[in-house]
């Protein structure tokens, strides 16, 4: 069936995209440390622009490369349906908030605690899928989600406790702020993803048109963010300061990520997206061990990896998930 092929294709591309993004970001941090740094807020804006351009091209292709059809669909669906368009401001605003919360989290927690805690989003996503989409999960599927969460947490467990001064620098108060920020981000990640899925599956409109609507708000919020955080520096040295080939690669992979996540939400769902990103965490860790040699896997890592793989098979074991009433 074509849709089932698209489902596995989109999940496969997501594994590839997440893995290469993590490796490129790590590479850019470890091997390209010197020289002026690019502004993260500018990278967000550029990725958003790339995403919108790619989506416009995809809509153009969907309409047999007719400029007239492209023009009329963009007018009809985006300009003439302001209420439909405004609906996309909700996930877009939440994603912007989420990206900032994760920044707050990382400033108040060590990276490992942050990553382990953020895995709770697997469960929040499942809870929102059940409550907002009426999806029904069997016992084996809940169990597999629990195993998946524990597995990813183990995979990311720090190999040794963080060095003394770093740990001591984080006061109990700031730990609390950090953990609260991650917990709110877990809820927002689950909610925004499932809300976008609901919009996609409740209407016939192309996923790429929806993504243009999402991207437009993302661009506006991103520009505000860039001017608020880095306005001074942008006025001094421009928004492309510190960009090099590797920066453009990271930005392009991030834009591709937005497209692939949208395709996964359309053809598969947010819960399967969790499995794909979990598998890619294992893959990127293994590649970074064999290739960049900057990681030494512990037995915790292998135990976690086995749990993730077992969970992936267990999720599919009980047969198909009950039909989703909101799916056309
Ligand atoms: O952690 P989580 O899976 O919630 O992150 C999803 C990310 O994907 C967010 O940073 C969001 O901006 C991005 N996204 C996107 N296009 C979509 C859906 C999500 O760029 N259609």
């Amino acid at each position: 069936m074509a849709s089932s092929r698209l489902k596995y294709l989109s999940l496969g591309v997501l594994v590839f995209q997440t893995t290469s993004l993590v490796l490129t970001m790590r590479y850019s941090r470890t091997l390209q440390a010197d020289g002026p740094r690019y502004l993260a807020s500018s990278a967000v804006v550029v990725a958003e622009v790339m995403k919108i351009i790619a989506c416009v091209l995809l809509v153009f292709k969907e309409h047999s490369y007719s400029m007239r059809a492209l023009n009329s669909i963009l007018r009809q669906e985006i300009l003439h349906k302001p209420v439909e368009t405004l609906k996309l401001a909700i996930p877009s605003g939440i994603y912007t908030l989420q990206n900032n919360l994760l920044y707050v989290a990382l400033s108040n927690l060590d990276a490992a605690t942050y990553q382990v805690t953020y895995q709770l989003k697997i469960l929040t996503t499942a809870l929102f899928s059940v409550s907002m989409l009426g999806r029904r999960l069997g016992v084996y599927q809940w169990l597999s989600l629990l195993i998946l969460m524990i597995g990813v947490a183990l995979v990311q467990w720090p190999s040794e406790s963080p060095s003394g001064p770093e740990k001591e620098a984080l006061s109990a108060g700031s730990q609390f702020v950090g953990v609260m920020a991650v917990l709110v981000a877990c809820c927002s990640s689950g909610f925004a993803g499932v809300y976008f899925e609901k919009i996609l599956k409740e209407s016939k409109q192309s996923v790429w048109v929806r993504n243009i609507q999402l991207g437009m708000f993302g661009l506006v919020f991103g520009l505000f963010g860039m001017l608020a955080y880095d306005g001074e520096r942008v006025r001094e040295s421009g928004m492309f300061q510190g960009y090099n080939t590797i920066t453009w690669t990271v930005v392009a992979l991030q834009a591709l990520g937005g497209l692939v996540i949208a395709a996964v939400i359309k053809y598969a769902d947010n819960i399967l997206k969790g499995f794909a990103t979990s598998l890619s965490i294992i893959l990127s860790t293994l590649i970074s061990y064999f290739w960049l040699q900057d990681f030494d896997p512990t037995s915790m890592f292998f135990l976690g990896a086995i749990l993730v793989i077992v969970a992936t098979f267990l999720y599919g074991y009980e047969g198909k998930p009950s039909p989703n009433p909101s799916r056309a």
Side-chain angles (χ1 to χ4, degrees):
M1 222 169 90
S3 73
S4 141
R5 220 187 59 218
L6 284 171
K7 173 170 154 180
Y8 291 106
L9 182 70
S10 61
L11 286 167
V13 178
L14 183 60
V15 173
F16 165 80
Q17 181 272 336
T18 317
T19 310
S20 12
L21 181 62
V22 169
L23 291 174
T24 330
M25 278 184 142
R26 189 175 298 194
Y27 175 79
S28 74
R29 271 217 308 268
T30 52
L31 299 179
Q32 307 266 319
D34 40 55
R37 276 226 164 179
Y38 67 91
L39 306 172
S41 61
S42 144
V44 172
V45 170
V46 177
E48 226 39 92
V49 172
M50 280 188 182
K51 228 170 61 179
I52 295 175
I53 295 174
C55 290
V56 170
L57 291 175
L58 286 162
V59 177
F60 188 45
K61 178 175 171 282
E62 269 179 353
H63 292 85
S64 321
Y65 302 103
S66 151
M67 271 316 265
R68 272 183 58 162
L70 174 69
N71 199 1
S72 93
I73 197 97
L74 293 183
R75 257 167 206 277
Q76 262 174 36
E77 293 303 323
I78 298 174
L79 286 181
H80 296 170
K81 288 188 185 159
V83 178
E84 292 297 303
T85 300
L86 267 174
K87 277 187 189 167
L88 274 299
I90 296 171
S92 178
I94 292 177
Y95 277 136
T96 309
L97 185 76
Q98 179 180 319
N99 292 339
N100 286 295
L101 274 174
L102 294 180
Y103 179 78
V104 173
L106 266 174
S107 323
N108 289 289
L109 290 175
D110 59 274
T113 309
Y114 155 82
Q115 277 181 318
V116 171
T117 319
Y118 197 34
Q119 299 319 316
L120 257 181
K121 74 176 175 177
I122 295 172
L123 281 191
T124 54
T125 303
L127 289 174
F128 280 114
S129 300
V130 168
S131 58
M132 288 168 63
L133 296 172
R135 186 157 294 152
R136 305 261 289 272
L137 296 178
V139 182
Y140 284 112
Q141 288 171 321
W142 282 114
L143 191 65
S144 80
L145 288 172
L146 207 63
I147 297 175
L148 179 70
M149 210 184 72
I150 298 170
V152 186
L154 287 184
V155 161
Q156 307 201 320
W157 207 263
S159 49
E160 52 206 50
S161 51
S163 50
E166 193 195 326
K167 188 80 183 170
E168 270 145 34
L170 303 167
S171 66
S174 94
Q175 279 267 347
F176 179 76
V177 171
V179 169
M180 286 316 283
V182 181
L183 292 182
V184 176
C186 286
C187 295
S188 77
S189 166
F191 177 79
V194 173
Y195 186 95
F196 187 68
E197 183 174 347
K198 194 169 159 70
I199 291 182
L200 274 186
K201 291 180 175 168
E202 274 177 356
S203 72
K204 296 244 170 337
Q205 200 36 258
S206 138
V207 57
W208 308 125
V209 172
R210 293 285 177 235
N211 231 24
I212 295 173
Q213 292 168 308
L214 188 76
M216 279 173 14
F217 290 109
L219 180 59
V220 173
F221 293 136
L223 278 172
F224 270 115
M226 184 176 77
L227 294 178
Y229 286 125
D230 297 313
E232 194 67 33
R233 275 186 276 184
V234 170
R235 270 186 292 277
E236 267 166 28
S237 319
M239 69 178 279
F240 294 108
Q241 56 186 294
Y243 270 59
N244 56 23
T245 321
I246 198 90
T247 316
W248 284 107
T249 313
V250 169
V251 169
L253 279 170
Q254 232 144 16
L256 176 68
L259 299 181
V260 182
I261 286 180
V264 163
I265 293 178
K266 160 99 184 167
Y267 298 111
D269 59 55
N270 274 292
I271 297 181
L272 289 171
K273 166 175 158 282
F275 281 92
T277 39
S278 304
L279 287 175
S280 77
I281 290 172
I282 295 179
L283 201 63
S284 59
T285 316
L286 285 178
I287 295 178
S288 110
Y289 168 62
F290 287 114
W291 182 37
L292 298 176
Q293 309 216 313
D294 66 346
F295 168 76
D296 197 10
T298 58
S299 42
M300 283 282 221
F301 172 82
F302 286 109
L303 178 62
I306 291 170
L307 288 183
V308 168
I309 292 162
V310 166
T312 308
F313 284 104
L314 184 63
Y315 188 80
Y317 172 71
E318 208 185 25
K320 286 119 213 81
S322 310
N324 170 9
S326 66
R327 214 178 279 201

